[in-house]
Amino acid sequence: MNKGKISRGEGIGIGRLTGEKVVVREICPVDLPILWHYIYGEKDPEWKRWDAPYFPLTFETKEAYIERMTNWINNKEDVPSRMVIEAQERIIGTVSYYWEHKESLWLEVGIVIYDSSYWNGGYGTEALKLWIDYLFASMPLVRVGLATWSGNERMIRCAEKLGMKMEGRLRKCRWYNGQYYDSIRMGVLREEWNEKKQGLNVR
């Protein structure tokens, strides 16, 4: 399988956020086999070693995944809670958000770059800044948060580059591969983002 490769023109007309290196866009049905392959196509995918590896990845068949995600595409929110990241016309990952407490507008974001050949090249940082800017522009949020763990130093550096501040560190509460790690909470307020994004060239 030519992993992540899509044809030029697919997805045209749906919501998309364009940066210099990446495009963040809504998920469409043609993406689903590619995403399934990234998530479940390998027994021990490398991306999972950094994305909350202390939580097991529960296998889902391709048919069940496509059915579930097709239902989500057909019934998704006004502000979609997940989008794909493209670079060089390839799907390389996803961005997402979830509500920790919707009544108080407490929202947390996530990002996964599945294709390791796009790690450490600034692709994730640009995708996350486009995503955060989109969420602030689309909803009356006062803060955007991000949860990670002390073993994922790349994620922490990425968040810091975007102006996120360390808001909490729960020491030695994540057990992985025979070692304890800290749980990390980071966040950025709307006013901090508006001030910071001038230097981030968010479009």
Side-chain angles (χ1 to χ4, degrees), residues 133 136 162-163 165 188-201:
D133 199 56
F136 272 131
L162 298 181
K165 297 182 178 180
V188 61
L189 303 178
R190 178 181 289 273
E191 57 268 30
E192 294 170 339
W193 181 257
N194 288 338
E195 181 179 354
K196 178 73 173 178
K197 78 174 186 178
Q198 301 303 320
L200 296 175
N201 297 318

Side-chain angles (χ1 to χ4, degrees), residues 14-165:
I14 62 178
R16 54 199 299 123
L17 316 170
T18 304
E20 294 181 0
K21 293 185 174 185
V22 301
V23 169
V24 177
R25 63 163 177 80
E26 291 189 62
I27 299 172
C28 53
V30 71
D31 304 326
L32 299 182
I34 296 169
L35 292 174
W36 181 89
H37 183 79
Y38 272 134
I39 299 168
Y40 303 110
E42 298 179 17
K43 184 177 180 180
D44 184 23
E46 190 174 0
W47 64 267
K48 184 57 181 168
R49 299 175 190 176
W50 306 101
D51 183 50
Y54 33 83
F55 294 137
L57 179 64
T58 302
F59 180 79
E60 188 173 16
T61 66
K62 181 182 287 189
E63 293 76 13
Y65 175 81
I66 290 175
E67 180 180 1
R68 177 173 62 83
M69 289 298 294
T70 298
N71 290 334
W72 177 81
I73 289 171
N74 293 333
N75 298 283
K76 63 181 180 290
E77 314 90 336
D78 291 337
V79 180
S81 57
R82 186 175 300 270
M83 288 190 177
V84 293
I85 306 165
E86 290 180 2
Q88 300 169 334
E89 300 180 50
R90 295 172 60 90
I91 293 174
I92 65 168
T94 59
V95 289
S96 61
Y97 74 80
Y98 66 92
W99 292 107
E100 188 76 39
H101 187 243
K102 191 171 184 178
E103 289 73 11
S104 56
L105 298 176
W106 180 356
L107 178 146
E108 300 281 308
V109 295
I111 180 170
V112 182
I113 303 295
Y114 297 116
D115 190 333
S116 60
S117 64
Y118 289 89
W119 292 356
N120 301 313
Y123 297 92
T125 300
E126 184 177 72
L128 189 58
K129 75 182 180 182
L130 290 169
W131 184 231
I132 292 173
D133 199 56
Y134 168 72
L135 295 176
F136 272 131
S138 302
M139 293 184 279
L141 304 172
V142 297
R143 172 189 175 275
V144 167
L146 181 146
T148 186
W149 61 299
S150 57
N152 194 344
E153 295 179 358
R154 281 194 303 267
M155 186 71 261
I156 295 171
R157 288 196 301 269
C158 172
E160 288 174 341
K161 288 178 185 177
L162 298 181
M164 286 189 152
K165 297 182 178 180

